[in-house]
Amino acid sequence: MGTAPDNNNKILLQNGLLIDGTGTPGRKANVLMEQGRLRVMKPTEKVADATTIDCTGKVVAPGFIDVHSHMDYFAIEHAPEHFDPFIAQGITTMVVGNCGFSPFGFKCNTPHQHLIENSLFKEGHGEITWHSFQGYQQRIQGHGCGPNLVSLVGHGVCRTSLNGFSAEPLSSGQSYEMLVMLDEALSQGAAGISLGLQYKPGVFASKEELRAVAQLVKKHDKVLTVHAKAYSSLSGTYPMNPFGKAHNLRAIDEMLDLARETGVRLQFSHLIFVGEATWNTLNEAIAKFDKAIADGVDVKFDMFPYPFGATLLNTLLPEWVMAGMPGILKKPLPMLRLRLEAWLAFRSLGLGYDCIQISDASCPAYEKYNGLFITEIASRVGKSPFEVMVDILDQSNAEARMIMHKYYGPQIVEKLMTHPAAMFMTDSWPEPSGVENAATFGAFPRFLQIARETGNVSLETLIHRMTAQAAERFGIAERGCIRDGFVADVVVLDWQQVRDNTTHDLCNAPPSGIEHVFINGVPARLDGKKYTSVSTGECLAMTA
């Protein structure tokens, strides 16, 4: 490349293969970035006073859009360095506020402020001085962010501000107040509403409550995303019946039925199949999505490219335990019941405590064991694996985080990638200590690597899913395509070399083949290295 560009210079990407995000075949073209906007030029066209970057042998594409992220919490605390590994993947925009949690959309001066603060500031830093989307947006814009942020409003955090973590149904007055707050967030620029039906308090929401939320999203013509009630064939969030319908299929049916009834645009978050026994439900699950799409339901799902994923340890708990927390964890008879149910579930699913890796114990007594599996911790502390799990949940106030293994079996990722409803994401965050989730460092390069090595998806189709399709899905205007006048979010990659370098022992290795990344026309990475510490991303407001 030529001289390193000044942020105010014209930048010309020359001689690259343009994959513009539309899904059409790549073509040779030059791309000019000027004042944060794009212009596509013919290979022979010249530009005066532009810094030229030679992209011969490289692919020039729109910046990737991570459709499911939880990095809004790091954006609140202004921790720009935590976004570096995502930008290094080529990610220029992240959809945040997922799984029912968002940093806004809650009642001002709520008596449950402490519950919200504990979920927003997991390391105990910061103070909430806002409650609305506009307040959150002003907070982010005040110090900037590395990538662009598009945020959903969380049904769970809104409900928490009204009723805490109570399992009791909302009163009619509370239901009305919740819908008013969610409506305000959507009107101010939230891209949709997210549900977290395996977490407190979303797990306690009735069908009528969810229907009202979906109808509100439909009214705004936005997106309803859902962390479903179950992702395994047997789950504590439903009555334990090993001989009934697989619980993950039941959860899919419930959400597809909700979309059918209300006409809402549905995004099924992180379609995973937890446990070896659940892998057998893959074809039936896909058939349900295919049938719904054929019936006219607007539904898509998102996925990550690893057989493991990060979540809260409390997702292992049945609904009846979550309803009785925290005191129930110290009661012998309920814990005996939980021990038996856990044994039955693990045995039925082909899981075990050796699949549960503690990424952040969130309590002093166990933080030195971060990165170890529960079975390893149990052998060191002289307790049973069950006792360790309950103790960590108790001492962390159920905030402990884990990496759960056996989410996918062989070839499931490759097969899901080929589905036209599949979208791509990281669903990850950097951990302050212990083991990192590899998706933080390599998810999008891994998707590209799989496509190159297997040929299961063409480069043009894959880029389209990562960019233009994602932008359209979440209403992100003038992004996701390399087109005249669009915002200059751009990635330059080496298609033959791009790869994920993470391993079991080196889970934070940077990827190869992501050469340059530009966010709003400003170079964030050049020649595979961080170029600027300037936070050039924006917190975007989505209008219907």
Side-chain angles (χ1 to χ4, degrees):
M1 59 167 283
T3 306
D6 182 272
N7 288 351
N8 297 317
N9 277 1
K10 299 176 185 177
I11 303 173
L12 181 66
L13 304 177
Q14 196 169 48
N15 302 324
L17 177 67
L18 175 60
I19 308 291
D20 63 11
T22 64
T24 57
R27 66 189 190 276
K28 290 285 186 179
N30 295 336
V31 176
L32 178 68
M33 292 179 285
E34 183 177 10
Q35 296 183 342
R37 296 284 170 167
L38 293 166
R39 185 154 69 92
V40 180
M41 307 176 66
K42 297 177 181 178
T44 57
E45 195 172 350
K46 303 295 182 183
V47 180
D49 303 322
T51 299
T52 300
I53 298 178
D54 184 12
C55 299
T56 301
K58 306 298 193 295
V59 169
V60 179
F64 304 146
I65 299 175
D66 179 357
V67 300
H68 186 106
S69 170
H70 294 278
M71 288 299 290
D72 32 11
Y73 306 109
F74 292 93
I76 289 170
E77 298 188 33
H78 187 38
E81 68 279 4
H82 292 306
F83 287 92
D84 289 346
F86 296 96
I87 296 172
Q89 297 186 43
I91 294 168
T92 58
T93 299
M94 310 182 94
V95 179
V96 296
N98 284 287
C99 298
F101 304 105
S102 64
F104 62 91
F106 40 82
K107 185 176 181 179
C108 187
N109 300 319
T110 170
H112 306 292
Q113 182 95 351
H114 65 289
L115 297 177
I116 295 172
E117 287 186 348
N118 287 344
S119 67
L120 293 185
F121 299 103
K122 298 189 186 299
E123 304 309 315
H125 304 297
E127 177 185 3
I128 295 175
T129 57
W130 70 92
H131 67 278
S132 67
F133 173 84
Q134 287 182 344
Y136 163 71
Q137 186 182 40
Q138 290 169 4
R139 167 74 173 239
I140 304 303
Q141 299 290 62
H143 52 59
C145 186
N148 304 300
L149 297 183
V150 173
S151 190
L152 305 156
V153 58
H155 159 263
V157 74
C158 185
R159 196 183 200 276
T160 298
S161 71
L162 295 169
N163 211 30
F165 290 156
S166 172
E168 294 297 316
L170 296 179
S171 68
S172 58
Q174 288 174 326
S175 296
Y176 175 79
E177 192 172 3
M178 178 185 72
L179 292 173
V180 168
M181 285 189 287
L182 293 174
D183 183 77
E184 177 188 65
L186 293 172
S187 298
Q188 290 182 356
I193 295 177
S194 71
L195 303 174
L197 302 186
Q198 209 172 16
Y199 300 115
K200 295 184 298 183
V203 67
F204 307 128
S206 66
K207 289 183 179 180
E208 292 73 21
E209 180 179 335
L210 298 180
R211 186 179 299 110
V213 171
Q215 289 170 337
L216 176 63
V217 177
K218 172 63 177 177
K219 184 186 81 170
H220 283 267
D221 191 25
K222 293 192 173 182
V223 183
L224 180 69
T225 74
V226 56
H227 177 121
K229 206 167 182 179
Y231 288 92
S232 54
S233 56
L234 189 65
S235 171
T237 48
Y238 290 106
M240 299 295 279
N241 179 8
F243 306 105
K245 178 190 286 188
H247 288 167
N248 64 313
L249 298 179
R250 180 173 172 179
I252 290 171
D253 281 339
E254 288 176 356
M255 291 300 100
L256 293 178
D257 287 346
L258 181 66
R260 283 190 177 95
E261 293 169 14
T262 62
V264 73
R265 194 185 322 158
L266 180 68
Q267 185 72 23
F268 197 91
S269 296
H270 39 59
L271 180 61
I272 52 177
F273 297 84
V274 182
E276 293 181 24
T278 310
W279 299 347
N280 297 326
T281 65
L282 171 68
N283 291 334
E284 190 173 351
I286 293 301
K288 291 180 181 294
F289 283 100
D290 288 339
K291 175 66 165 58
I293 293 168
D295 291 343
V297 176
D298 188 348
V299 60
K300 295 187 185 296
F301 60 83
D302 42 63
M303 58 178 296
F304 38 69
Y306 299 96
F308 50 79
T311 187
L312 294 174
L313 185 62
N314 68 25
T315 58
L316 298 174
L317 298 177
E319 181 178 342
W320 65 266
V321 175
M322 289 195 279
M325 289 180 66
I328 197 170
L329 296 177
K330 295 185 181 298
K331 296 180 179 179
L333 286 179
M335 288 304 95
L336 177 60
R337 176 185 170 186
L338 178 62
R339 185 192 290 262
L340 292 173
E341 287 192 6
W343 177 84
L344 173 63
F346 284 160
R347 184 178 179 85
S348 300
L349 292 173
L351 285 173
Y353 293 104
D354 58 347
C355 298
I356 305 169
Q357 192 176 15
I358 299 299
S359 54
D360 186 350
S362 298
C363 58
Y366 285 92
E367 63 183 12
K368 63 184 175 182
Y369 302 118
N370 285 346
L372 298 183
F373 290 82
I374 282 185
T375 48
E376 295 174 319
I377 299 172
S379 66
R380 297 193 184 194
V381 300
K383 297 180 180 179
S384 72
F386 175 81
E387 290 170 330
V388 167
M389 179 184 73
V390 171
D391 201 22
I392 293 175
L393 285 165
D394 184 34
Q395 296 203 39
S396 70
N397 194 29
E399 290 294 328
R401 300 195 287 274
M402 67 174 176
I403 293 178
M404 189 73 178
H405 294 255
K406 293 190 178 180
Y407 270 6
Y408 292 129
Q411 284 77 56
I412 290 181
V413 168
E414 288 87 340
K415 181 170 182 176
L416 287 177
M417 280 177 62
T418 67
H419 197 281
M423 303 184 75
F424 307 116
M425 51 84 161
T426 62
D427 191 21
S428 65
W429 52 83
E431 293 290 356
S433 59
V435 69
E436 294 278 10
N437 183 353
T440 302
F441 297 86
F444 279 72
R446 188 175 183 87
F447 280 122
L448 289 160
Q449 179 184 347
I450 291 171
R452 184 186 69 244
E453 293 178 351
T454 67
N456 64 339
V457 180
S458 71
L459 176 59
E460 287 85 353
T461 297
L462 190 66
I463 294 293
H464 171 65
R465 302 259 195 87
M466 292 177 169
T467 58
Q469 187 179 61
E472 180 183 5
R473 188 70 176 158
F474 290 91
I476 309 171
E478 298 186 335
R479 297 177 194 266
C481 282
I482 295 186
R483 180 179 296 170
D484 288 352
F486 270 43
V487 178
D489 294 338
V490 179
V491 60
V492 178
L493 62 94
D494 187 331
W495 171 233
Q496 298 304 321
Q497 298 297 324
V498 64
R499 66 174 53 252
D500 167 31
N501 292 318
T502 63
T503 66
H504 181 269
D505 296 320
L506 192 62
C507 49
N508 60 349
S512 301
I514 304 295
E515 304 287 337
H516 315 302
V517 181
F518 303 87
I519 300 174
N520 295 311
V522 179
R525 295 185 68 85
L526 292 175
D527 296 322
K529 299 177 182 178
K530 184 174 180 178
Y531 176 71
T532 180
S533 297
V534 176
S535 295
T536 59
E538 301 178 21
C539 183
L540 304 173
M542 299 296 101
T543 57

